Amino acid sequence: MISKRIRHTVVGAAAAGLLLGSFPAVAAPTICTELIRGPDGSIPVDERESARQVQARIKPGLIAEGDKLAGDGKLAEAVETYSGIFGGYWYAGFYSSAMRCLPVDFYQGAASKLRAVASELAERRRARGHLLDESHEYGGDLDHGALRLYLLSNQYDRFISEAFAYADTEFLERDIDDQLMAMVSGRLGELETYRNAGSGHAAVGYTNDLTPLLDEELAAFTKLAGFDEKLKARFASRYPDITEHWLAEEARHFGGPDRTDEVFAKEMFLERAKDALKAGADRLREHPRQVARLKARANTRGEALMRKGSEVAGGEGLMGLMATDYYAHARDYFEFAGNQEQAAVAGRLSDERQESVEQEADRIEASIRTDVEKMRKSDEEQASFQEATDEMAREFGFDLDE
């Protein structure tokens, strides 16, 4: 079975000349009946077959393999196997792709099987919220989500309906529109490669007898046309809602330090607050007015943190060492806001505070060293006194243990 990664990486290789090797000086009969030479002409003459002969041997086996996998309940593997029928295949050590040379009925039957298995698998994954592709912690290929399965099996109306509904629920928090548009673009690009297969061969005199795309595959170019624009138009009025979402996230975390005395917890809350604004700006990068609202919030926060920093700047001893560096956080907020002048001021105050903290740390360390030295000397003096006392007792014959 050909993995997704290999298939997607090498799709279109035949168009680059890997299937038939160098083109002959005179026109060959057809693309599908020309004997395969290999990319470097390495296949012996008496072992050469045409693309149609090779596919007639290889691809029916994929149907049988897919049927068995589906019958065993291995739906994901069956989808991969059936999908491989429409792409390339390995032959004589090289990969030939996008060259369909078998009867249209063969591909139609494979498409029907793919649709049935993909539909069942999509429903299972959709039921547990698995609509987008998911990767594994241990690496390897992605698990197709329900939406990808609809695309692979040419269910474009279903894909559009489910994609729009899913985008409605995910729109505020992430670039779901970008992800969906990338999926559509990828599928159209794949189909375009299949549709143009053989064009290079035909240009040098071969008769193009490749099997054309199925009607349901060609429907993608009509049904998915303008998907990007439709999705953007659907959400055009909702971008201010995204701003409100990330402003609320920032406010929720920014208030955290006032609810805890733990230094590390304070730091965590402030970092998350800043990250919320950054995430919002990334999400709204094509909407400068909304980004400006996020930056205005950042500027306000920077000013508040400057005041907070001045309140705790006079801390001494361990409390001073452990105090949150509000100036450093103010600097980060100002930098995000684009207020470089105030960022520089906050940065300077943070540096001064850090220098003061280091000096305080040195002072405390020196004080501790002095106390330890005093304790050591006291122990030595006590031992010396005890030794002198014992010697005097021995001299006068006293027994100090009685």
Side-chain angles (χ1 to χ4, degrees):
M1 182 176 66
I2 299 170
S3 73
K4 296 186 290 296
R5 183 171 300 162
I6 293 175
R7 186 172 65 250
H8 291 164
T9 300
V10 298
V11 71
L18 292 184
L19 178 64
L20 300 175
S22 58
F23 294 125
V26 296
T30 71
I31 293 174
C32 287
T33 60
E34 175 67 11
L35 296 182
I36 301 172
R37 296 169 174 78
D40 56 0
S42 59
I43 302 176
V45 175
D46 59 350
E47 296 179 10
R48 292 176 185 172
E49 300 176 274
S50 69
R52 182 165 292 142
Q53 289 174 305
V54 175
Q55 292 181 32
R57 283 193 297 102
I58 294 175
K59 299 220 167 184
L62 294 178
I63 292 284
E65 181 184 350
D67 291 347
K68 184 178 186 307
L69 289 168
D72 292 342
K74 299 178 180 179
L75 302 185
E77 293 88 342
V79 166
E80 286 304 303
T81 302
Y82 289 138
S83 297
I85 292 168
F86 299 92
Y89 56 94
W90 285 98
Y91 172 67
F94 67 95
Y95 190 82
S96 300
S97 67
M99 308 292 281
R100 300 183 186 180
C101 289
L102 299 183
V104 67
D105 289 347
F106 174 82
Y107 296 105
Q108 193 68 64
S112 297
K113 290 175 180 290
L114 172 60
R115 183 188 185 99
V117 175
S119 295
E120 184 177 352
L121 181 60
E123 286 307 302
R124 293 184 184 183
R125 292 185 170 173
R126 181 176 174 275
R128 62 175 192 262
H130 180 178
L131 276 86
L132 296 182
D133 295 347
E134 295 180 353
S135 59
H136 301 291
E137 292 181 1
Y138 51 80
D141 290 333
L142 294 173
D143 269 349
H144 287 325
L147 294 175
R148 179 79 64 183
L149 291 167
Y150 294 140
L151 286 178
L152 287 176
S153 56
N154 305 309
Q155 301 184 66
Y156 300 112
D157 290 333
R158 183 67 182 275
F159 169 81
I160 293 171
S161 174
E162 295 288 349
F164 280 0
Y166 186 58
D168 285 339
T169 66
E170 299 290 310
F171 183 72
L172 291 179
E173 298 186 28
R174 58 173 167 162
D175 293 329
I176 186 63
D177 43 345
D178 287 349
Q179 291 176 274
L180 294 175
M181 289 186 288
M183 291 175 65
V184 168
S185 176
R187 179 56 174 166
L188 289 176
E190 182 181 45
L191 291 173
E192 186 68 26
T193 298
Y194 294 160
R195 184 165 66 174
N196 293 335
S199 58
H201 299 75
V204 293
Y206 285 92
T207 298
N208 188 347
D209 61 342
L210 295 175
T211 305
L213 295 188
L214 302 173
D215 289 343
E216 54 260 51
E217 291 176 311
L218 291 171
F221 296 103
T222 301
K223 292 185 176 182
L224 296 178
F227 180 84
D228 294 15
E229 290 73 17
K230 292 174 184 176
L231 195 60
K232 289 179 179 178
R234 184 183 185 91
F235 299 119
S237 63
R238 291 190 57 190
Y239 287 100
D241 295 340
I242 298 178
T243 309
E244 292 299 331
H245 169 79
W246 290 109
L247 287 175
E249 281 294 293
E250 189 276 340
R252 183 167 66 89
H253 293 299
F254 188 82
D258 294 333
R259 301 191 295 270
T260 180
D261 294 326
E262 294 291 334
V263 175
F264 292 114
K266 291 177 183 289
E267 290 289 332
M268 179 189 69
F269 279 123
L270 290 173
E271 290 297 332
R272 289 181 177 178
K274 291 182 292 185
D275 287 344
L277 293 186
K278 293 174 183 176
D282 183 64
R283 181 73 181 84
L284 295 160
R285 57 190 174 277
E286 296 181 5
H287 302 273
R289 289 186 179 180
Q290 301 307 318
V291 173
R293 294 177 59 194
L294 298 174
K295 290 186 175 183
R297 166 68 64 81
N299 206 57
T300 300
R301 295 305 195 199
E303 293 170 354
L305 290 169
M306 291 287 279
R307 293 191 294 270
K308 194 81 169 178
S310 65
E311 293 173 5
V312 301
E316 296 181 354
L318 289 175
M319 293 302 295
L321 289 176
M322 296 297 291
T324 299
D325 186 356
Y326 290 107
Y327 291 132
H329 291 292
R331 177 198 58 212
D332 294 343
Y333 268 108
F334 284 134
E335 287 179 348
F336 175 81
N339 188 342
Q340 298 305 324
E341 182 178 352
Q342 281 296 91
V345 173
R348 176 176 55 79
L349 291 173
S350 177
D351 291 342
E352 291 176 356
R353 178 189 178 280
Q354 183 61 34
E355 182 178 353
S356 176
V357 165
E358 292 174 357
Q359 292 174 352
E360 181 65 10
D362 291 342
R363 187 190 69 77
I364 293 175
E365 182 181 357
S367 176
I368 292 174
R369 287 180 181 277
T370 299
D371 291 342
V372 170
E373 185 65 21
K374 287 180 179 179
M375 291 174 63
R376 188 179 67 82
K377 288 183 177 180
S378 178
D379 290 343
E380 291 175 352
E381 290 172 353
Q382 179 66 28
S384 178
F385 174 78
Q386 185 64 44
E387 184 179 347
T389 301
D390 291 342
E391 183 155 344
M392 184 181 296
R394 287 193 297 273
E395 183 178 345
F396 288 97
F398 296 144
D399 187 354
L400 297 178
D401 293 330
E402 290 183 354

